[in-house]
């Protein structure tokens, strides 16, 4: 059984995709950029502020299926500039502070939607 998740506490999908999909005991969260769901605008600030907003959006999506960041088993982090890795990583460590931490991929990409500095997607295990 495959089911789409939707919450007003995270940015709405702006294309033909779901915020997240539940399938086979897993929740696949679409890539999130630092958009404030109340304004629909990119949050001001640098990579730390943008990472914080992205992870808050992911938390809201997971909460819509009664999950937390503690259920996340894998993340994919995309940076517009690998020079922002340290700032992103510091905020990321605040959100993922308990063991086991998720497996992670981090990559620099040439451009992100709305010229964001960071985008993160994840997979959570719902059991």
């Amino acid at each position: 059984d495959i089911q789409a998740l939707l919450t007003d506490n995270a940015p709405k999908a702006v294309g033909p995709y779901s915020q997240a999909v539940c399938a086979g005991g897993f929740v696949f969260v679409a890539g999130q950029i630092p958009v404030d769901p109340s304004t629909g605008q990119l949050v001001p600030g640098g990579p730390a502020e943008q990472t914080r907003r992205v992870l808050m959006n992911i938390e809201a999506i997971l909460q819509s299926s009664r999950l937390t960041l503690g259920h996340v088993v894998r993340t994919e982090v995309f940076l517009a500039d690998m020079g922002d890795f340290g700032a992103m990583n510091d905020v990321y460590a605040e959100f993922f502070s308990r063991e086991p931490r998720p497996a992670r991929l981090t990559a620099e990409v040439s451009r992100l939607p709305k010229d964001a500095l960071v985008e993160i997607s994840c997979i959570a295990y719902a059991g």
Side-chain angles (χ1 to χ4, degrees), residues 79-96:
L79 298 172
D81 180 349
M82 194 57 83
D84 292 338
F85 181 87
M88 174 282 297
N89 200 52
D90 288 346
V91 174
Y92 182 98
E94 292 174 25
F95 282 80
F96 293 104

Side-chain angles (χ1 to χ4, degrees), residues 51-72:
T51 300
R52 185 169 310 284
R53 180 75 254 175
V54 166
L55 291 170
M56 290 168 61
N57 291 344
I58 289 172
E59 271 188 315
I61 292 167
L62 292 172
Q63 286 172 355
S64 74
S65 63
R66 297 185 180 93
L67 299 178
T68 67
L69 290 175
H71 292 91
V72 175

Side-chain angles (χ1 to χ4, degrees), residues 19 26 29 34 36 42 45 49 56 67 79-81 84 86-87 91 94 100 109 116 118-119 123 127:
Q19 285 176 327
F26 289 91
V29 179
D36 182 331
L42 223 57
E49 294 81 9
M56 290 168 61
L67 299 178
L79 298 172
D81 180 349
D84 292 338
V91 174
E94 292 174 25
V109 295
V118 62
E119 179 175 4
I123 301 168

Side-chain angles (χ1 to χ4, degrees), residues 100-124:
R101 291 186 174 111
R104 181 174 83 182
L105 168 148
T106 304
E108 179 181 285
V109 295
S110 63
R111 193 166 180 205
L112 291 168
K114 296 191 176 216
D115 292 319
L117 301 175
V118 62
E119 179 175 4
I120 302 174
S121 66
C122 71
I123 301 168

Side-chain angles (χ1 to χ4, degrees), residues 9-26:
N9 296 322
K12 295 192 181 341
V14 294
Y17 63 91
S18 300
Q19 285 176 327
V21 174
C22 294
F26 289 91

Side-chain angles (χ1 to χ4, degrees), residues 31-50:
Q32 297 297 304
I33 60 172
V35 170
D36 182 331
S38 65
T39 66
Q41 300 298 313
L42 223 57
V43 296
E49 294 81 9
Q50 289 199 9

